[in-house]
Structure formats: structure tokens, C-alpha cells
């Protein structure tokens, strides 16, 4: 059974850096093609894909946010970490991580299952 | 404004068949698979359909996906009250080096 859970701060000050951790079980980032995606959802708004880490060290980013986002994987801890710099109130959202099945190529990406999400509020 | 266009809302009565559309372009839907997710209120999204028309494990055959050209559709037959949720399409987009995109979502109301 695959499970994922996001953890991190619930409140961040503007201009600060956000660090969120996705702790997962039931799969390994060492498995070829398997990945973890980060997706966010501002309150009442649509889903927005942020990044995807797969093959332990290959990462794709949302081109509109790539200058602010870094995703790393820790295969020994079964974790994927999202770092987002220069947080702004518009970044207030529920942040989800999700499992990418081992399918190739990268453009054939779907996400199942998802973590429960964690709400991050950006405010002073 | 999402690159993938979905109607913001849809509705139907119990037992009816409803269809939710997702419109894109040749850089996304036209050349890539489409995926559909359902998000119940206050819950995380759940995969419904992958590779245009394949139902995810446990998804009843009341749900079906299709794709034609640069558009895709999700059809729900035998509508039930617990189908009331937000539905999102997603696919790969080739622009800017390639990335995943989601539609703007459709809120389905069961009247």
C-alpha cells in the first residue's frame, strides 16, 4: 500500500523560504520511473503542478516557478523535500505530494495516490 | 487562466448522464494522454482516468474518458449524489521544455 504525507510549517512570513517534506511508504525513488510530484491548490482555486522528482535525482519544474523551487529526494528516508523561496501571500495554498507510477516516458505522468495535503498560509 | 479549458460548472439529476469537457491544443492534449482526477470536498484529489480512457483501480464503469483531437471528455452515467465534486483534467504540455498542466476544474452539482 502506497501512502504519502506532507509536513511543514502552517504559517510563513512573506519573503521567507518554505520547506515542506513528503514522507512516503510503499515505493522507492530508486525504482526506475517512480516519482513524487508536488502540486498546490490555493483556497477555492484550481490545482497547479509545481515539480516532479523521479529516478532519485531527475527533477522537472513548473517553468513559471522554476526560479523559486527546488525539490530533492532522500531515498534512505523515503522523503521528497520541496523548497520555495521568497514566499508571498499569493502562495497561500494547500500543498500536496503525490506518487508517480513507474511508467515511461516522463510525459506519461499521472499521480496516484495523493497525500492529504497541508495548508500553508503566507502572512505577516 | 489555465491552458486547459474546462467549464467551471456542470449539473445533473440523479440517474442522468453528464459530460465534462477539457479543451487544449496541439502542444498538450493533441499529442499527449489525458488524465482525470476527482476531488471531493475537503479531500485530496483522486485519479479517475489515465491514458485517455483507462479507469483507475476501483473506479466504476459509470465513469468513462475519451479524447478527440485537442479535446477530451469525462462522462459520468447513472449520476449519484456522491458524484458531487470538482473534476480536473491534466496532461503534458510541450512548451517551455515540457511540464504537467491541469485544467481549471469543473464543479459538478447533483440537483
Amino acid at each position: 500500500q502506497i501512502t504519502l504525507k506532507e509536513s511543514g510549517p502552517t504559517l510563513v512570513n512573506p519573503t521567507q523560504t518554505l520547506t515542506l517534506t513528503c514522507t512516503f511508504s510503499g515505493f522507492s525513488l530508486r525504482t526506475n520511473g517512480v516519482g513524487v510530484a508536488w502540486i498546490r491548490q490555493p483556497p477555492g482555486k484550481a490545482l497547479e503542478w509545481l515539480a516532479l522528482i523521479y529516478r532519485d535525482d531527475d527533477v522537472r519544474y513548473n517553468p513559471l516557478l522554476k526560479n523559486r523551487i527546488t525539490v530533492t529526494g532522500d531515498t534512505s528516508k523515503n522523503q521528497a523535500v520541496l523548497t520555495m523561496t521568497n514566499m508571498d501571500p499569493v502562495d497561500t495554498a494547500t500543498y500536496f505530494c503525490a506518487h508517480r507510477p513507474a511508467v515511461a516516458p516522463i510525459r506519461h505522468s499521472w499521480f496516484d495516490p495523493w497525500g492529504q495535503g497541508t495548508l500553508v498560509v503566507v502572512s505577516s | 487562466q489555465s491552458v486547459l479549458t474546462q467549464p467551471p460548472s456542470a449539473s445533473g439529476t440523479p440517474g442522468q448522464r453528464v459530460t465534462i469537457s477539457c479543451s487544449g491544443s496541439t502542444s498538450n492534449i493533441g499529442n499527449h494522454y489525458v488524465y482525470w482526477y476527482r476531488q471531493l470536498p475537503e479531500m485530496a484529489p483522486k485519479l479517475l482516468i489515465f491514458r485517455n480512457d483507462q479507469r483507475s483501480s476501483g473506479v466504476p464503469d459509470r465513469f468513462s474518458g475519451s479524447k478527440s483531437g485537442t479535446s477530451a471528455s469525462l462522462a459520468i452515467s447513472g449520476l449519484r449524489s456522491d458524484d458531487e465534486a470538482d473534476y480536473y483534467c491534466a496532461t503534458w504540455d510541450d512548451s517551455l521544455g515540457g511540464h504537467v498542466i491541469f485544467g481549471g476544474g469543473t464543479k459538478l452539482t447533483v440537483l
Side-chain angles (χ1 to χ4, degrees):
Chain A
Q1 181 191 7
I2 291 174
T3 64
L4 307 97
K5 188 172 184 179
E6 307 85 354
S7 60
T10 56
L11 180 64
V12 176
N13 288 322
T15 75
Q16 277 192 330
T17 294
L18 170 70
T19 299
L20 293 176
T21 300
C22 175
T23 302
F24 53 84
S25 64
F27 67 95
S28 172
L29 280 175
R30 291 194 186 97
T31 303
N32 194 29
V34 168
V36 171
W38 284 96
I39 299 132
R40 71 177 179 179
Q41 184 175 38
K45 295 189 177 181
L47 300 168
E48 179 181 31
W49 176 78
L50 300 177
L52 169 64
I53 181 169
Y54 65 109
R55 290 202 303 253
D56 189 20
D57 57 359
D58 200 340
V59 189
R60 295 292 187 100
Y61 294 105
N62 181 321
L64 299 180
L65 294 167
K66 65 181 299 183
N67 291 334
R68 297 177 52 208
I69 293 176
T70 302
V71 174
T72 58
D74 188 331
T75 54
S76 65
K77 295 181 180 178
N78 277 353
Q79 291 179 333
V81 178
L82 169 74
T83 302
M84 182 178 289
T85 61
N86 194 25
M87 293 293 284
D88 183 273
V90 300
D91 296 313
T92 293
T94 296
Y95 287 74
F96 298 97
C97 61
H99 166 257
R100 177 194 188 269
V103 293
I106 186 65
R107 63 182 183 274
H108 297 176
S109 284
W110 67 87
F111 310 119
D112 178 47
W114 296 48
Q116 64 189 29
T118 185
L119 175 62
V120 177
V121 175
V122 184
S123 174
S124 54
Chain B
Q1 193 80 9
S2 177
V3 175
L4 299 180
T5 302
Q6 296 182 238
S9 63
S11 63
T13 56
Q16 268 191 333
R17 181 178 189 271
V18 297
T19 301
I20 297 171
S21 62
C22 176
S23 178
S25 67
T26 53
S27 70
N28 43 69
I29 290 179
N31 282 292
H32 298 290
Y33 288 124
V34 176
Y35 308 90
W36 290 92
Y37 299 88
R38 176 167 80 169
Q39 186 177 31
L40 297 171
E42 306 303 319
M43 299 288 286
K46 185 179 186 311
L47 178 72
L48 282 178
I49 300 288
F50 64 100
R51 288 180 176 166
N52 298 337
D53 57 10
Q54 303 300 300
R55 280 184 296 277
S56 182
S57 176
V59 175
D61 58 9
R62 299 188 299 110
F63 294 86
S64 61
S66 63
K67 187 186 106 167
S68 178
T70 58
S71 293
S73 294
L74 173 70
I76 309 172
S77 61
L79 199 62
R80 297 165 35 144
S81 58
D82 57 1
D83 292 329
E84 192 160 286
D86 293 324
Y87 292 82
Y88 293 91
C89 59
T91 187
W92 185 262
D93 190 287
D94 290 324
S95 66
L96 301 173
H99 56 284
V100 174
I101 54 174
F102 284 94
T106 298
K107 182 172 182 57
L108 175 64
T109 300
V110 182
L111 304 170

